[in-house]
Amino acid sequence: MTATRRLSPDELPDAAAILRGGGLVAFPTETVYGLGADALNEAAVRRIFEAKGRPTFNPLIVHVADAAQADRVAVWNERAERLAARFWPGPLTLVLPRRAAVPDAVTGGGPTVAVRQPGHPLARALLAAAGVPLAAPSANRSGRLSPTTADHVLADLDGRIDAVLDGGPTTAGIESTVLDLSSVTPRLLRPGPILPADLEALTGPIERGPAPAVGAMPSPGMLERHYAPRTPLVLASADGAARVASLGGRVGLLTHHDAEGEAVERLPADPRGYAAGMYAALHRLDHLGLTRIVVAAVPDGEEWLAVRDRLRRAAF
Ligand code: TXA
Ligand code: MG
């Protein structure tokens, strides 16, 4: 494949045409950049796995223009209806029984499909212009940090995809909440911007974490090592700065406390602000050629659940 085109928002019709022709276009969502392909075109979907180096058993999220389009790829139910009415468009992914139109490549051959209506205006405009649902994992090489800018996408995927639609930095900065609605009790498969308590207000109690393994992996994206920089990353006690001084080598620090220094990234002390800047800060630290990255421990509590989850996987 030739060099990847960087498209401006004005060039959205080109992005839509590439997608309709079976190509790959990365695009911004409110969470992270996704790597999109026509979800109903099996050959196009296979290209996503090649570009990312993603294991084919790890299923993809299908992005839809609205609930009506979701109902054409997934078997809709009353709970999904209620959640979508409240949280869509937005960073909530629902796992539901699939419909026959969805290729096996999207679902990893399983009986369910993940769907979400993204809230980012460019993502919504692209879905409308393409006229097809878009399968889109995060637009990074498999296992690496998720991209929150077009530059992050190009650093990982230049020459491997047709285009990236540049909409500037994403706002939420952390991947969507994934909720499995395919069994009797809803299950949180991945914490994200929508908090479990806000889901429970509409669904009643939900289970946390992957189902006890029965043969196949319930949500392969829950693979332990994930979302990781190349530089080894360690989680420190709340007093991360002291750790840095004692470690030796060229050590970087990611913290929400007061700190200054050459390789220090300071993030806001609130969970939304932290999540919004976390991946960009890790990308920057990862490019400094450090011996390791130390991350100061973040607070307990469910508002910090998604941040803690990603940091734990990055450190694994
Ligand atoms: O915010 C997001 O969700 C971003 C943007 C681009 O939408 N996408 C994203 O996709 O993070 P990806 O592929 O990096 O993560 C999708 C997650 C993985 O953990 C995957 O295993 C899980 O959703 N998943 C997808 N389909 C599933 C299914 N049918 N059953 C269970 N888990 C599923
Ligand atoms: Mg991902």
Side-chain angles (χ1 to χ4, degrees), residues 39 42 45-46 49 54-62 95-96 98-99 102-114 135 216-221:
E42 178 131 40
V45 171
R46 287 194 190 291
F49 289 87
R54 181 177 176 111
T56 53
F57 57 75
N58 193 357
L60 306 177
I61 296 173
V62 177
V95 173
L96 292 158
R98 71 191 277 195
R99 293 206 189 272
V102 182
D104 278 342
V106 171
T107 66
T112 60
V113 64
M217 269 182 283
S219 188

mmCIF file of all heavy atoms in Angstrom, residues 39 42 45-46 49 54-62 95-96 98-99 102-114 135 216-221:
data_model
loop_
_atom_site.group_PDB
_atom_site.id
_atom_site.type_symbol
_atom_site.label_atom_id
_atom_site.label_comp_id
_atom_site.label_asym_id
_atom_site.label_seq_id
_atom_site.Cartn_x
_atom_site.Cartn_y
_atom_site.Cartn_z
ATOM 1 N N ALA A 39 -18.530 -2.588 7.676
ATOM 2 C CA ALA A 39 -18.716 -3.750 8.546
ATOM 3 C C ALA A 39 -19.398 -4.914 7.842
ATOM 4 O O ALA A 39 -19.351 -6.048 8.325
ATOM 5 C CB ALA A 39 -19.534 -3.351 9.780
ATOM 6 N N GLU A 42 -16.784 -8.368 4.149
ATOM 7 C CA GLU A 42 -15.861 -9.250 4.868
ATOM 8 C C GLU A 42 -14.397 -9.010 4.477
ATOM 9 O O GLU A 42 -13.511 -8.988 5.334
ATOM 10 C CB GLU A 42 -16.249 -10.722 4.631
ATOM 11 C CG GLU A 42 -15.307 -11.711 5.305
ATOM 12 C CD GLU A 42 -16.029 -12.779 6.099
ATOM 13 O OE1 GLU A 42 -17.080 -13.274 5.622
ATOM 14 O OE2 GLU A 42 -15.560 -13.140 7.193
ATOM 15 N N VAL A 45 -13.112 -5.915 6.167
ATOM 16 C CA VAL A 45 -12.913 -6.140 7.601
ATOM 17 C C VAL A 45 -11.624 -6.921 7.841
ATOM 18 O O VAL A 45 -10.868 -6.637 8.784
ATOM 19 C CB VAL A 45 -14.132 -6.870 8.205
ATOM 20 C CG1 VAL A 45 -13.846 -7.293 9.637
ATOM 21 C CG2 VAL A 45 -15.369 -5.975 8.142
ATOM 22 N N ARG A 46 -11.337 -7.877 6.968
ATOM 23 C CA ARG A 46 -10.091 -8.647 7.134
ATOM 24 C C ARG A 46 -8.853 -7.748 7.041
ATOM 25 O O ARG A 46 -7.846 -7.981 7.707
ATOM 26 C CB ARG A 46 -9.995 -9.747 6.071
ATOM 27 C CG ARG A 46 -10.933 -10.880 6.327
ATOM 28 C CD ARG A 46 -10.610 -12.114 5.497
ATOM 29 N NE ARG A 46 -11.687 -13.073 5.613
ATOM 30 C CZ ARG A 46 -11.965 -13.736 6.728
ATOM 31 N NH1 ARG A 46 -11.235 -13.554 7.813
ATOM 32 N NH2 ARG A 46 -12.976 -14.577 6.774
ATOM 33 N N PHE A 49 -7.659 -6.353 10.349
ATOM 34 C CA PHE A 49 -6.841 -7.263 11.168
ATOM 35 C C PHE A 49 -5.399 -7.296 10.671
ATOM 36 O O PHE A 49 -4.462 -7.326 11.461
ATOM 37 C CB PHE A 49 -7.450 -8.674 11.166
ATOM 38 C CG PHE A 49 -8.731 -8.771 11.956
ATOM 39 C CD1 PHE A 49 -9.953 -8.496 11.369
ATOM 40 C CD2 PHE A 49 -8.710 -9.121 13.300
ATOM 41 C CE1 PHE A 49 -11.132 -8.568 12.100
ATOM 42 C CE2 PHE A 49 -9.875 -9.198 14.038
ATOM 43 C CZ PHE A 49 -11.094 -8.920 13.436
ATOM 44 N N ARG A 54 -3.813 -7.695 14.384
ATOM 45 C CA ARG A 54 -4.722 -8.095 15.460
ATOM 46 C C ARG A 54 -5.096 -9.564 15.317
ATOM 47 O O ARG A 54 -5.386 -10.029 14.214
ATOM 48 C CB ARG A 54 -5.991 -7.237 15.377
ATOM 49 C CG ARG A 54 -7.061 -7.500 16.451
ATOM 50 C CD ARG A 54 -8.184 -6.500 16.225
ATOM 51 N NE ARG A 54 -9.330 -6.626 17.076
ATOM 52 C CZ ARG A 54 -9.651 -5.730 18.026
ATOM 53 N NH1 ARG A 54 -8.858 -4.728 18.285
ATOM 54 N NH2 ARG A 54 -10.759 -5.862 18.721
ATOM 55 N N PRO A 55 -5.117 -10.316 16.424
ATOM 56 C CA PRO A 55 -5.552 -11.711 16.353
ATOM 57 C C PRO A 55 -6.997 -11.792 15.857
ATOM 58 O O PRO A 55 -7.841 -11.002 16.300
ATOM 59 C CB PRO A 55 -5.472 -12.220 17.797
ATOM 60 C CG PRO A 55 -4.798 -11.159 18.597
ATOM 61 C CD PRO A 55 -4.803 -9.889 17.801
ATOM 62 N N THR A 56 -7.275 -12.694 14.923
ATOM 63 C CA THR A 56 -8.596 -12.701 14.282
ATOM 64 C C THR A 56 -9.718 -13.132 15.224
ATOM 65 O O THR A 56 -10.886 -12.944 14.918
ATOM 66 C CB THR A 56 -8.602 -13.630 13.051
ATOM 67 O OG1 THR A 56 -8.111 -14.901 13.463
ATOM 68 C CG2 THR A 56 -7.728 -13.069 11.955
ATOM 69 N N PHE A 57 -9.364 -13.695 16.391
ATOM 70 C CA PHE A 57 -10.428 -14.080 17.326
ATOM 71 C C PHE A 57 -10.938 -12.899 18.143
ATOM 72 O O PHE A 57 -11.923 -13.004 18.849
ATOM 73 C CB PHE A 57 -9.969 -15.210 18.265
ATOM 74 C CG PHE A 57 -8.727 -14.879 19.058
ATOM 75 C CD1 PHE A 57 -8.785 -14.017 20.143
ATOM 76 C CD2 PHE A 57 -7.494 -15.431 18.707
ATOM 77 C CE1 PHE A 57 -7.640 -13.712 20.863
ATOM 78 C CE2 PHE A 57 -6.348 -15.120 19.424
ATOM 79 C CZ PHE A 57 -6.422 -14.259 20.496
ATOM 80 N N ASN A 58 -10.256 -11.745 18.054
ATOM 81 C CA ASN A 58 -10.682 -10.578 18.838
ATOM 82 C C ASN A 58 -11.699 -9.767 18.040
ATOM 83 O O ASN A 58 -11.347 -9.116 17.058
ATOM 84 C CB ASN A 58 -9.465 -9.714 19.193
ATOM 85 C CG ASN A 58 -9.789 -8.669 20.254
ATOM 86 O OD1 ASN A 58 -10.937 -8.553 20.696
ATOM 87 N ND2 ASN A 58 -8.794 -7.907 20.660
ATOM 88 N N PRO A 59 -12.970 -9.804 18.444
ATOM 89 C CA PRO A 59 -14.026 -9.190 17.632
ATOM 90 C C PRO A 59 -13.989 -7.664 17.646
ATOM 91 O O PRO A 59 -13.366 -7.053 18.502
ATOM 92 C CB PRO A 59 -15.312 -9.693 18.292
ATOM 93 C CG PRO A 59 -14.932 -9.988 19.696
ATOM 94 C CD PRO A 59 -13.488 -10.421 19.674
ATOM 95 N N LEU A 60 -14.675 -7.047 16.657
ATOM 96 C CA LEU A 60 -14.653 -5.598 16.468
ATOM 97 C C LEU A 60 -15.971 -4.948 16.879
ATOM 98 O O LEU A 60 -17.014 -5.584 16.845
ATOM 99 C CB LEU A 60 -14.415 -5.284 14.984
ATOM 100 C CG LEU A 60 -13.196 -5.916 14.335
ATOM 101 C CD1 LEU A 60 -13.162 -5.556 12.840
ATOM 102 C CD2 LEU A 60 -11.921 -5.443 15.021
ATOM 103 N N ILE A 61 -15.891 -3.673 17.226
ATOM 104 C CA ILE A 61 -17.097 -2.888 17.500
ATOM 105 C C ILE A 61 -17.647 -2.359 16.172
ATOM 106 O O ILE A 61 -16.895 -1.834 15.346
ATOM 107 C CB ILE A 61 -16.780 -1.712 18.443
ATOM 108 C CG1 ILE A 61 -16.316 -2.235 19.805
ATOM 109 C CG2 ILE A 61 -18.002 -0.797 18.592
ATOM 110 C CD1 ILE A 61 -15.822 -1.137 20.758
ATOM 111 N N VAL A 62 -18.953 -2.506 15.969
ATOM 112 C CA VAL A 62 -19.603 -1.944 14.787
ATOM 113 C C VAL A 62 -20.208 -0.587 15.170
ATOM 114 O O VAL A 62 -21.015 -0.497 16.094
ATOM 115 C CB VAL A 62 -20.700 -2.885 14.253
ATOM 116 C CG1 VAL A 62 -21.421 -2.243 13.069
ATOM 117 C CG2 VAL A 62 -20.088 -4.229 13.838
ATOM 118 N N VAL A 95 -23.063 -5.231 23.717
ATOM 119 C CA VAL A 95 -22.863 -6.548 23.099
ATOM 120 C C VAL A 95 -24.203 -7.278 23.111
ATOM 121 O O VAL A 95 -24.819 -7.454 24.166
ATOM 122 C CB VAL A 95 -21.785 -7.355 23.851
ATOM 123 C CG1 VAL A 95 -21.698 -8.775 23.306
ATOM 124 C CG2 VAL A 95 -20.428 -6.650 23.734
ATOM 125 N N LEU A 96 -24.650 -7.652 21.899
ATOM 126 C CA LEU A 96 -25.978 -8.250 21.707
ATOM 127 C C LEU A 96 -25.867 -9.435 20.743
ATOM 128 O O LEU A 96 -24.876 -9.543 20.010
ATOM 129 C CB LEU A 96 -26.916 -7.199 21.089
ATOM 130 C CG LEU A 96 -27.283 -6.014 22.006
ATOM 131 C CD1 LEU A 96 -27.736 -4.822 21.186
ATOM 132 C CD2 LEU A 96 -28.355 -6.445 23.005
ATOM 133 N N ARG A 98 -25.945 -11.362 17.424
ATOM 134 C CA ARG A 98 -25.711 -10.804 16.093
ATOM 135 C C ARG A 98 -26.825 -11.182 15.125
ATOM 136 O O ARG A 98 -27.543 -12.159 15.341
ATOM 137 C CB ARG A 98 -24.395 -11.355 15.544
ATOM 138 C CG ARG A 98 -24.529 -12.835 15.174
ATOM 139 C CD ARG A 98 -23.223 -13.491 14.887
ATOM 140 N NE ARG A 98 -22.752 -13.290 13.523
ATOM 141 C CZ ARG A 98 -21.779 -14.008 12.970
ATOM 142 N NH1 ARG A 98 -21.192 -14.991 13.667
ATOM 143 N NH2 ARG A 98 -21.391 -13.771 11.755
ATOM 144 N N ARG A 99 -26.913 -10.421 14.041
ATOM 145 C CA ARG A 99 -27.778 -10.827 12.928
ATOM 146 C C ARG A 99 -26.912 -11.449 11.832
ATOM 147 O O ARG A 99 -25.693 -11.255 11.799
ATOM 148 C CB ARG A 99 -28.542 -9.624 12.380
ATOM 149 C CG ARG A 99 -29.555 -9.072 13.377
ATOM 150 C CD ARG A 99 -30.698 -8.366 12.670
ATOM 151 N NE ARG A 99 -31.557 -7.664 13.612
ATOM 152 C CZ ARG A 99 -32.605 -8.215 14.242
ATOM 153 N NH1 ARG A 99 -32.923 -9.495 14.033
ATOM 154 N NH2 ARG A 99 -33.340 -7.508 15.075
ATOM 155 N N VAL A 102 -24.002 -9.843 9.521
ATOM 156 C CA VAL A 102 -22.676 -9.475 10.019
ATOM 157 C C VAL A 102 -21.679 -10.591 9.704
ATOM 158 O O VAL A 102 -21.892 -11.739 10.089
ATOM 159 C CB VAL A 102 -22.718 -9.247 11.550
ATOM 160 C CG1 VAL A 102 -21.359 -8.821 12.062
ATOM 161 C CG2 VAL A 102 -23.786 -8.228 11.908
ATOM 162 N N PRO A 103 -20.579 -10.268 8.994
ATOM 163 C CA PRO A 103 -19.592 -11.312 8.668
ATOM 164 C C PRO A 103 -18.916 -11.865 9.931
ATOM 165 O O PRO A 103 -18.756 -11.150 10.919
ATOM 166 C CB PRO A 103 -18.556 -10.582 7.807
ATOM 167 C CG PRO A 103 -19.095 -9.242 7.507
ATOM 168 C CD PRO A 103 -20.212 -8.953 8.452
ATOM 169 N N ASP A 104 -18.494 -13.130 9.832
ATOM 170 C CA ASP A 104 -17.767 -13.760 10.947
ATOM 171 C C ASP A 104 -16.514 -12.990 11.330
ATOM 172 O O ASP A 104 -16.105 -12.993 12.483
ATOM 173 C CB ASP A 104 -17.341 -15.187 10.562
ATOM 174 C CG ASP A 104 -18.485 -16.171 10.754
ATOM 175 O OD1 ASP A 104 -19.451 -15.838 11.470
ATOM 176 O OD2 ASP A 104 -18.401 -17.278 10.181
ATOM 177 N N ALA A 105 -15.901 -12.330 10.349
ATOM 178 C CA ALA A 105 -14.660 -11.601 10.626
ATOM 179 C C ALA A 105 -14.881 -10.526 11.695
ATOM 180 O O ALA A 105 -13.984 -10.205 12.462
ATOM 181 C CB ALA A 105 -14.124 -10.960 9.346
ATOM 182 N N VAL A 106 -16.096 -9.971 11.730
ATOM 183 C CA VAL A 106 -16.405 -8.909 12.699
ATOM 184 C C VAL A 106 -16.565 -9.483 14.101
ATOM 185 O O VAL A 106 -16.132 -8.878 15.090
ATOM 186 C CB VAL A 106 -17.701 -8.158 12.293
ATOM 187 C CG1 VAL A 106 -18.158 -7.214 13.395
ATOM 188 C CG2 VAL A 106 -17.485 -7.394 10.992
ATOM 189 N N THR A 107 -17.204 -10.640 14.201
ATOM 190 C CA THR A 107 -17.595 -11.176 15.511
ATOM 191 C C THR A 107 -16.585 -12.184 16.052
ATOM 192 O O THR A 107 -16.779 -12.709 17.144
ATOM 193 C CB THR A 107 -18.955 -11.889 15.418
ATOM 194 O OG1 THR A 107 -18.794 -13.047 14.583
ATOM 195 C CG2 THR A 107 -20.013 -10.970 14.834
ATOM 196 N N GLY A 108 -15.538 -12.475 15.274
ATOM 197 C CA GLY A 108 -14.618 -13.534 15.663
ATOM 198 C C GLY A 108 -15.302 -14.898 15.593
ATOM 199 O O GLY A 108 -14.872 -15.848 16.244
ATOM 200 N N GLY A 109 -16.376 -14.955 14.801
ATOM 201 C CA GLY A 109 -17.103 -16.216 14.634
ATOM 202 C C GLY A 109 -18.091 -16.484 15.764
ATOM 203 O O GLY A 109 -18.805 -17.488 15.740
ATOM 204 N N GLY A 110 -18.166 -15.589 16.744
ATOM 205 C CA GLY A 110 -19.044 -15.800 17.892
ATOM 206 C C GLY A 110 -20.490 -15.412 17.616
ATOM 207 O O GLY A 110 -20.802 -14.876 16.555
ATOM 208 N N PRO A 111 -21.377 -15.682 18.576
ATOM 209 C CA PRO A 111 -22.809 -15.445 18.395
ATOM 210 C C PRO A 111 -23.255 -14.010 18.686
ATOM 211 O O PRO A 111 -24.431 -13.688 18.511
ATOM 212 C CB PRO A 111 -23.451 -16.400 19.418
ATOM 213 C CG PRO A 111 -22.426 -16.513 20.516
ATOM 214 C CD PRO A 111 -21.077 -16.376 19.853
ATOM 215 N N THR A 112 -22.320 -13.144 19.137
ATOM 216 C CA THR A 112 -22.710 -11.779 19.512
ATOM 217 C C THR A 112 -21.954 -10.745 18.685
ATOM 218 O O THR A 112 -20.945 -11.053 18.052
ATOM 219 C CB THR A 112 -22.397 -11.502 20.999
ATOM 220 O OG1 THR A 112 -20.993 -11.667 21.222
ATOM 221 C CG2 THR A 112 -23.188 -12.438 21.917
ATOM 222 N N VAL A 113 -22.454 -9.528 18.727
ATOM 223 C CA VAL A 113 -21.783 -8.417 18.048
ATOM 224 C C VAL A 113 -21.837 -7.194 18.966
ATOM 225 O O VAL A 113 -22.801 -6.998 19.705
ATOM 226 C CB VAL A 113 -22.435 -8.126 16.673
ATOM 227 C CG1 VAL A 113 -23.880 -7.664 16.820
ATOM 228 C CG2 VAL A 113 -21.626 -7.084 15.887
ATOM 229 N N ALA A 114 -20.763 -6.393 18.937
ATOM 230 C CA ALA A 114 -20.698 -5.177 19.745
ATOM 231 C C ALA A 114 -21.089 -3.992 18.866
ATOM 232 O O ALA A 114 -20.601 -3.869 17.741
ATOM 233 C CB ALA A 114 -19.278 -4.991 20.284
ATOM 234 N N ALA A 135 -17.150 -1.124 10.996
ATOM 235 C CA ALA A 135 -16.390 -1.868 12.004
ATOM 236 C C ALA A 135 -15.140 -1.053 12.292
ATOM 237 O O ALA A 135 -14.455 -0.613 11.361
ATOM 238 C CB ALA A 135 -16.008 -3.247 11.468
ATOM 239 N N ALA A 216 -13.874 -20.716 25.321
ATOM 240 C CA ALA A 216 -13.457 -19.530 24.565
ATOM 241 C C ALA A 216 -13.378 -18.286 25.449
ATOM 242 O O ALA A 216 -14.016 -18.197 26.482
ATOM 243 C CB ALA A 216 -14.427 -19.284 23.412
ATOM 244 N N MET A 217 -12.588 -17.320 25.007
ATOM 245 C CA MET A 217 -12.471 -16.063 25.738
ATOM 246 C C MET A 217 -13.737 -15.231 25.557
ATOM 247 O O MET A 217 -14.179 -15.000 24.445
ATOM 248 C CB MET A 217 -11.280 -15.266 25.193
ATOM 249 C CG MET A 217 -9.999 -15.576 25.934
ATOM 250 S SD MET A 217 -8.672 -14.587 25.282
ATOM 251 C CE MET A 217 -8.316 -15.468 23.777
ATOM 252 N N PRO A 218 -14.342 -14.746 26.636
ATOM 253 C CA PRO A 218 -15.575 -13.984 26.542
ATOM 254 C C PRO A 218 -15.367 -12.618 25.884
ATOM 255 O O PRO A 218 -16.171 -12.173 25.100
ATOM 256 C CB PRO A 218 -16.025 -13.825 27.985
ATOM 257 C CG PRO A 218 -14.810 -14.046 28.830
ATOM 258 C CD PRO A 218 -13.876 -14.897 28.022
ATOM 259 N N SER A 219 -14.300 -11.935 26.193
ATOM 260 C CA SER A 219 -13.996 -10.657 25.556
ATOM 261 C C SER A 219 -12.494 -10.558 25.408
ATOM 262 O O SER A 219 -11.786 -10.150 26.309
ATOM 263 C CB SER A 219 -14.524 -9.484 26.377
ATOM 264 O OG SER A 219 -14.371 -8.291 25.646
ATOM 265 N N PRO A 220 -12.003 -10.962 24.252
ATOM 266 C CA PRO A 220 -10.564 -11.109 24.066
ATOM 267 C C PRO A 220 -9.805 -9.810 24.288
ATOM 268 O O PRO A 220 -8.640 -9.820 24.613
ATOM 269 C CB PRO A 220 -10.446 -11.576 22.619
ATOM 270 C CG PRO A 220 -11.788 -12.151 22.295
ATOM 271 C CD PRO A 220 -12.764 -11.326 23.054
ATOM 272 N N GLY A 221 -10.502 -8.674 24.142
ATOM 273 C CA GLY A 221 -9.850 -7.399 24.397
ATOM 274 C C GLY A 221 -9.464 -7.256 25.855
ATOM 275 O O GLY A 221 -8.747 -6.340 26.229
#
